Amino acid sequence: MATFALRLCPLLPLLTTAFTKPLTAIRRCYIPPPRANFGCALLENLTGRDEFGFNSYGQETTAHRRCLQSLRKAGGNTFVFSVGFCELWTCSKEALTAAASSEKMEVGTRKVFSELCEYQESLKTSRSPVFVKLWEWNYVDIAKECEEYLGPNGFDAVQVSPVTEHILGPEWWTKYQPVSFSLSSRSGSAEDFRTMVRDCRAAGVEVIVDLIINHIAAPCRAAKNAEVKNLTPCVGWNGSLFGNRRLGGARGWDQAGPEHFHHVEGQMMENCYVGPPGWSCGGGGIDVTDCSCCSCDFLKMPDWHTGLDEVRQMHTRHVQELHDIGVTMLRVDLSLFESIEDLSHVLNTVPWDFVYQEWWWERPDAQRHRYIGHFRDITYRYKLTHYLGNSSLAKLPDLFTLERGHDEIAPETAIYPIAFHDGRSWKAKPGNATYKNGLEYHQQQKFLLAWPKGNIVMLWGGFGWSRMSDGPPGCDDRTGSPYCQPESVYVNGRARCLPTPTESPLPKELHMERRWICEHRWQGVAGLIEFRKACRGLPITRTWQAPELSDGQLAFRAGEECFGALVRGYNEKLRSPWGHLGNWKLRGLEVGLPSGRYCDMGSLSTRREWDRRHCPRQVVIGTDGRILSGFVREGDLLAIYVGGRLS
């Protein structure tokens, strides 16, 4: 969901929250286990296959939670888990930093969880996670994609659309209006969801759930009738009943009435409103850091009273079920509207691998990062697309200044998406990253991966739309049916996706076509994930730009082993004033890499079963460090690194 301009919170008499202090977050640390007498002390070593083994879903996640509970009883801050074993530790931040900085980063099967993990992303030796959002894919297809493409090509996690039962309708936003905590939705049944999580994790891909616990669905028209507004005449996707500030529930424990939602004093069925034209809260514009004071209904969707024990217990049961199934990561929708204290006492009952918050341009609150999670930083994306979308050739070298997004969101606390559903445009629009921009968009997502800045990035794999409200292929509001299910991406074992574009923007016949796009599958993405994991975090040691090069050409070297180059493209619709720049022949450019035959990782469509002997496009470097052969296509990006030399 979205927030934009901001306004003052109304002064409403609210019940005092039961908590005055947030619950500390214990998160996954991708570091070697701590060692005794090196700033860490082992408190207790627990064992037992029954308590710390696999649950009925075949997952070890429930055991992680049991280990966390034991840790809190023991008063520690770190635990190390392996199947059948739970080590409870107390460590200093310096001790874990030293462990993370050690040369040997292989962590094996012993997983470390700690309240001291936030520092690790600032270290050179840290991971370089690449996530992808598969927007409105069904669970069967997501499972197949994890096995066939995401796992083999190094994706760390896949984000799925909201998983709870929702209102009827074909639009994309119906999934953001929950009506129960059933896990059956138009993306598939609860069993489909559990199978998808199992298969993705088996392929090495964690699952991120888009968590909706700020609100429930707005009432349907029948529930607004004065005579029946206290009943539940509305029907959800899986048959659950709901009404005006009421949920009939699907699980027995997820029933709710007006008393469970914020409301105007003395009027249980009424509440203040957040939406256009003012949208949010705070009065300070982008200086706002928290909107939970408002307790208003966002877009008329009833706002959960998270200060109530009953509501928190309901939400806790939901997130713990997700964790039992094997979900290890979350995106928190409308996090700004939920208090840090209430939200932390739900989320932090679980030792998640990773949590991030929907965030716009608001000021980041250090407490929110500490107790909730990372911030989605969309400013990074807008800077990137400005330099490679709607700026002049003279401004192109400014791309080298891209170090971070939001001025106050540190890169180690951010996740950088290339696209997001609230940030789309109806038509191709330079500077706004969508598939409609064709080759221009592809160059932007390639640069996101190749540029060795930022820590966590998220790619996008979605569908084509002709109207901004369009749901996935298979869901068309022109049919008049409120029931729909996404068409399969995979048919006869193959993904039906838009081929990699070769021009900007897409031609008219593809611009509004309702089909699966799968931007994350376009040529070069798979190879550049390998490049990023090898080169991310290395210092920029050399850059090339005009007048040393021709206008529209850029190149950089990261460390002494990675090199990238690009040529600005031509926009057919806008008739770019610089005209066609053509391909850039690299012969003679002294890049300083060891001699050999290199694969242009930006040309590799998949690393699955790659023999590392052949490559669609190659670069040859001589003994003097100069390129002997190789070129960059107009509107494209080339990337080579020492580990990508061909045998």
Side-chain angles (χ1 to χ4, degrees):
M1 304 301 287
T3 59
F4 298 98
L6 306 165
R7 65 175 175 83
L8 284 168
C9 292
L11 297 177
L12 295 177
L14 299 177
L15 295 178
T16 303
T17 180
F19 299 110
T20 58
K21 185 179 179 181
L23 181 62
T24 301
I26 303 292
R27 300 282 186 261
R28 173 84 184 274
C29 304
Y30 296 87
I31 58 175
R35 292 182 293 169
N37 302 321
F38 288 88
C40 291
L42 179 63
L43 301 178
E44 196 170 356
N45 195 348
L46 306 175
T47 62
R49 285 278 173 171
D50 291 337
E51 187 173 7
F52 301 113
F54 295 104
N55 62 22
S56 60
Y57 301 114
Q59 305 289 353
E60 82 291 359
T61 44
T62 306
H64 291 172
R65 207 160 63 249
R66 293 193 181 115
C67 203
L68 171 61
Q69 293 165 356
S70 299
L71 177 72
R72 287 188 165 137
K73 290 178 181 178
N77 60 17
T78 302
F79 73 82
V80 178
F81 178 89
S82 58
V83 176
F85 300 90
C86 170
E87 302 171 15
L88 309 181
W89 292 79
T90 182
C91 291
S92 68
K93 186 172 183 177
E94 293 73 22
L96 283 192
T97 302
S101 302
S102 64
E103 292 185 8
K104 186 177 180 180
M105 287 295 294
E106 191 67 39
V107 298
T109 59
R110 298 174 70 201
K111 298 179 180 179
V112 180
F113 293 81
S114 177
E115 67 179 63
L116 306 173
C117 288
E118 62 181 78
Y119 68 86
Q120 68 173 329
E121 293 296 350
S122 64
L123 298 175
K124 178 181 175 181
T125 51
S126 65
R127 300 161 63 248
S128 302
V130 178
F131 302 157
V132 62
K133 177 177 179 177
L134 296 185
W135 193 33
E136 287 268 25
W137 286 42
N138 69 47
Y139 299 142
V140 173
D141 282 335
I142 293 172
K144 182 75 171 176
E145 187 74 347
C146 284
E147 296 169 341
E148 296 290 323
Y149 184 79
L150 301 184
N153 288 303
F155 284 86
D156 296 274
V158 56
Q159 180 177 314
V160 302
S161 294
V163 298
T164 50
E165 182 185 7
H166 49 82
I167 64 172
L168 297 175
E171 298 86 0
W172 68 266
W173 42 260
T174 61
K175 295 212 75 182
Y176 286 84
Q177 297 204 40
V179 303
S180 80
F181 286 109
S182 164
L183 298 181
S184 291
S185 72
R186 72 180 178 203
S187 298
S189 67
E191 181 59 34
D192 292 335
F193 175 70
R194 291 190 289 266
T195 300
M196 177 271 293
V197 174
R198 181 199 66 197
D199 292 350
C200 284
R201 295 196 77 207
V205 182
E206 300 298 330
V207 175
I208 307 170
V209 161
D210 198 344
L211 187 68
I212 316 293
I213 55 173
N214 174 74
H215 58 269
I216 65 167
C220 64
R221 183 175 300 178
K224 297 176 184 178
N225 186 311
E227 297 180 0
V228 297
K229 66 179 181 181
N230 292 327
L231 304 179
T232 53
C234 314
V235 181
W237 169 262
N238 200 41
S240 297
L241 301 179
F242 69 102
N244 188 8
R245 316 186 85 75
R246 290 182 183 275
L247 294 181
R251 314 294 300 278
W253 50 264
D254 58 346
Q255 296 178 351
E259 67 276 12
H260 294 108
F261 303 95
H262 286 116
H263 52 269
V264 175
E265 186 177 15
Q267 300 181 57
M268 297 283 283
M269 307 306 295
E270 304 293 337
N271 198 21
C272 53
Y273 167 79
V274 175
W279 279 103
S280 191
C281 69
I286 59 174
D287 290 331
V288 70
T289 60
D290 192 295
C291 284
S292 62
C293 64
C294 286
S295 303
C296 296
D297 293 352
F298 188 85
L299 294 178
K300 300 183 179 180
M301 294 181 288
D303 189 72
W304 283 108
H305 193 330
T306 53
L308 297 175
D309 286 341
E310 290 181 66
V311 172
R312 285 195 303 269
Q313 289 169 7
M314 197 183 303
H315 292 174
T316 299
R317 190 161 182 170
H318 172 54
V319 298
Q320 290 186 356
E321 179 182 33
L322 294 176
H323 191 241
D324 288 338
I325 290 170
V327 173
T328 58
M329 300 185 180
L330 297 176
R331 171 198 184 263
V332 184
D333 186 65
L334 292 177
S335 175
L336 184 72
F337 290 86
E338 301 188 58
S339 81
I340 296 172
E341 292 78 13
D342 293 344
L343 191 54
S344 70
H345 277 268
V346 172
L347 298 185
N348 296 341
T349 62
V350 171
W352 302 103
D353 284 14
F354 180 74
V355 176
Y356 82 96
Q357 306 170 76
E358 178 187 19
W359 211 251
W360 288 77
W361 295 281
E362 302 88 0
R363 286 182 59 194
D365 183 340
Q367 293 292 89
R368 278 198 171 273
H369 174 249
R370 179 181 178 187
Y371 291 109
I372 307 303
H374 282 48
F375 300 99
R376 181 190 69 176
D377 188 346
I378 59 176
T379 305
Y380 190 87
R381 169 256 194 149
Y382 279 112
K383 287 181 177 179
L384 190 162
T385 56
H386 171 70
Y387 299 139
L388 282 175
N390 57 5
S391 63
S392 65
L393 292 188
K395 294 287 186 180
L396 185 61
D398 289 347
L399 199 57
F400 290 144
T401 68
L402 186 61
E403 298 276 345
R404 63 192 300 161
H406 192 293
D407 288 342
E408 297 187 51
I409 298 179
E412 61 267 23
T413 68
I415 178 173
Y416 297 137
I418 186 63
F420 56 102
H421 61 258
D422 285 322
R424 297 170 296 127
S425 55
W426 178 48
K427 294 183 178 180
K429 184 180 180 181
N432 192 36
T434 75
Y435 76 97
K436 293 176 184 282
N437 293 322
L439 183 60
E440 184 176 272
Y441 172 89
H442 190 33
Q443 186 179 53
Q444 292 164 358
Q445 72 170 345
K446 280 186 163 185
F447 188 83
L448 178 75
L449 292 169
W451 186 237
K453 304 296 182 179
N455 295 327
I456 306 172
V457 297
M458 177 172 283
L459 301 182
W460 177 268
F463 56 84
W465 62 86
S466 59
R467 293 186 294 185
M468 293 298 291
S469 63
D470 281 343
C475 291
D476 193 333
D477 59 8
R478 301 168 187 82
T479 65
S481 173
Y483 289 91
C484 69
Q485 287 186 291
E487 292 178 357
S488 293
V489 178
Y490 277 87
V491 175
N492 297 325
R494 297 178 63 87
R496 301 178 301 165
C497 299
L498 182 74
T500 305
T502 57
E503 60 183 285
S504 302
L506 285 181
K508 289 183 178 180
E509 63 270 19
L510 298 176
H511 193 258
M512 296 290 181
E513 188 176 0
R514 301 273 286 118
R515 62 173 297 169
W516 293 107
I517 306 297
C518 318
E519 297 91 328
H520 68 293
R521 274 181 161 263
W522 288 353
Q523 184 180 16
V525 169
L528 285 171
I529 291 175
E530 179 175 314
F531 179 88
R532 180 171 184 80
K533 290 179 182 291
C535 306
R536 209 274 309 168
L538 296 178
I540 299 297
T541 52
R542 175 81 159 86
T543 61
W544 293 262
Q545 62 188 65
E548 185 178 7
L549 303 177
S550 299
D551 286 341
Q553 298 175 348
L554 287 182
F556 66 87
R557 185 178 66 218
E560 302 301 322
E561 56 262 43
C562 305
F563 171 80
L566 65 84
V567 179
R568 183 73 185 272
Y570 178 77
N571 192 297
E572 298 285 349
K573 181 179 179 181
L574 300 180
R575 304 294 180 189
S576 303
W578 51 81
H580 285 282
L581 300 178
N583 298 339
W584 175 15
K585 295 181 180 179
L586 298 172
R587 181 178 175 83
L589 189 68
E590 186 176 358
V591 296
L593 268 64
S595 62
R597 188 166 56 98
Y598 289 75
C599 176
D600 172 9
M601 305 304 289
S603 71
L604 198 61
S605 293
T606 182
R607 288 153 49 202
R608 184 178 187 182
E609 300 179 354
W610 181 36
D611 61 9
R612 306 191 82 88
R613 293 184 297 172
H614 304 87
C615 186
R617 292 197 291 273
Q618 302 176 20
V619 176
V620 179
I621 297 179
T623 54
D624 60 355
R626 295 179 183 273
I627 294 179
L628 300 177
S629 65
F631 69 95
V632 187
R633 289 181 174 177
E634 179 184 78
D636 207 346
L637 178 145
L638 169 146
I640 59 175
Y641 82 107
V642 172
R645 281 182 290 184
L646 300 170
S647 60

